[in-house]
Amino acid sequence: MGCFGSRMDSRRKAMDDDWTGCEYAFAIGGIATLDGCSPLDKIVAKYAGGEGKELSEKLTLEDAKLAEDKAKELGEKIFTAIKALHEKFKGDKDSDDKVKGKYTGKEAFAQIDAAAKLWCEKSGLEHKMEEEATAAAPEGMEGMMEMMAEGDMMEGGMDDMMAAAADAPAAAKRETPEISAFGEIAGPGEIPKLLTAMMVCYPAFGDAVKVQVVGYELGGDGDESFAEVAAITGAYVNAGEKADGESFGAAWLGAEDLEELETAFKAKDTSALIFPGVVTAWADKDTAVGNAGEASGKTQVIFKFAGKVMKPCGDKAVVFCRQFAKIKDLKDEDGKKVCELEDFAEAAFATVKEYTDKFEELAKAAAAAAEAAAAAGDMAMEPMMEEAPMEPAMMEAEAM
């Protein structure tokens, strides 16, 4: 257990500075015991109130929409986190050097900036980034500037601006869907879809959310500023997972991640993979590989998923949340590893209570079986002890 915990800690800490593997990062669960297979990501469970609490006690979606009062409450926390992320990457906005091992500084900031602006324009909460809020009109021109702004919006100027934001540079080779593919995303009620679109179309923003989700899943308890985003998008995607069919994701795994995967494969009859948070996957393997970018000193692994997915933006990209999978095969192919998965549907519980009840039932059954086996072993030993012949030395001693 100590070795496992140590490896888990190392995997978590590695993602602080390297995001190349976080998109398809996984944890290990138990097939027979359902260990680790709670329906809630650990960061979401904490947001919900802790062990045994249901997310529905704190957050519900009606027809995939967020109530306006809840949108205002959570929206303030979300915007605070977005602004902090924006400020964190702003210093590298003109840099061609790599940040987080995955993007150039320019790419990362362009995506996060576009996500922030999309939030401000579409959330319906009247948020503005600092540079927008402090941009003043020339003295005496305030009214005219407002009229011009209104005219531009009426003539579709704002739509052009958002289209430009949607086309902001993404990570190398990444072919993300257009924002328009998600349909209507404006207004407080559409925040679940808006946040999902931000994560899919601007992967640097999605990675910033995912690294927190995975951090908690791998035993951490650090930054949780995007817990509300994880909870809202998770609820939205889980409710929309209706489509069957295979999908693909390509990840770059470091030595310890790869060792964890290979260990799980060797124990594939007892170990399952857990993919926490919202995951973006692709319709075919080539697109998945193209979207993976490049990484040095790592092994590329192509995951072939088989669980249910949501299609919020057409057929190009699909999303799913907290998928449980059994490993069907892990093999070398064209210089890469290919991990073929099968859906572990038995681990999908609708509520925390359903999962907890089943987990405890299995634990009690396992304990009872262990006690019965131990008792049977003791009973089998008794006649053996009675019938066992005496050693020669003992027999000679008795004769004397």
Side-chain angles (χ1 to χ4, degrees), residues 175-356:
E175 299 178 5
T176 58
E178 298 291 336
I179 289 291
S180 58
F182 283 81
E184 183 56 63
I185 57 173
E190 298 291 353
I191 281 177
K193 191 196 293 187
L194 169 61
L195 289 171
T196 303
M198 289 163 61
M199 291 180 68
V200 173
C201 297
Y202 306 121
F205 174 74
D207 285 347
V209 176
K210 177 59 77 69
V211 77
Q212 291 186 14
V213 173
V214 176
Y216 269 78
E217 209 65 31
L218 296 182
D221 59 355
D223 190 359
E224 56 187 88
S225 57
F226 284 119
E228 288 79 9
V229 175
I232 293 171
T233 55
Y236 172 71
V237 172
N238 275 325
E241 290 176 351
K242 308 292 185 185
D244 291 308
E246 64 185 25
S247 56
F248 298 83
W252 290 99
L253 301 191
E256 290 182 313
D257 291 316
L258 189 60
E259 184 180 358
E260 191 85 309
L261 181 63
E262 291 175 336
T263 300
F265 175 59
K266 291 175 183 177
K268 65 179 183 177
D269 293 333
T270 57
S271 295
L273 300 186
I274 303 169
F275 294 90
V278 172
V279 179
T280 302
W282 308 94
D284 59 80
K285 182 171 69 173
D286 290 341
T287 302
V289 171
N291 284 330
E294 299 177 353
S296 59
K298 290 190 168 188
T299 301
Q300 189 168 59
V301 177
I302 300 169
F303 290 104
K304 183 179 179 181
F305 299 103
K308 288 188 177 297
V309 300
M310 181 185 191
K311 295 184 176 182
C313 53
D315 293 329
K316 184 174 183 178
V318 301
V319 292
F320 53 80
C321 182
R322 196 166 180 78
Q323 190 170 111
F324 305 103
K326 297 177 182 179
I327 304 176
K328 191 173 182 180
D329 196 12
L330 179 64
K331 58 188 177 183
D332 294 307
E333 187 176 293
D334 299 328
K336 304 176 179 65
K337 294 277 188 181
V338 176
C339 184
E340 187 174 354
L341 305 169
E342 56 182 309
D343 190 21
F344 184 20
E346 302 92 326
F349 293 90
T351 67
V352 173
K353 184 179 186 310
E354 287 180 9
Y355 164 72
T356 302

Side-chain angles (χ1 to χ4, degrees), residues 85-95 105 109:
L85 180 68
H86 189 273
E87 186 64 27
K88 181 178 180 179
F89 281 81
K90 190 175 182 178
D92 292 309
K93 68 178 182 177
D94 298 318
S95 174
F109 182 75

Side-chain angles (χ1 to χ4, degrees), residues 40 44 47-48 53-61 70 235 350-352:
L40 295 183
V44 176
Y47 163 77
K53 295 292 185 181
E54 304 285 356
L55 181 58
S56 59
E57 297 175 29
K58 199 163 184 179
L59 172 71
T60 57
L61 303 181
K70 202 67 177 177
T351 67
V352 173

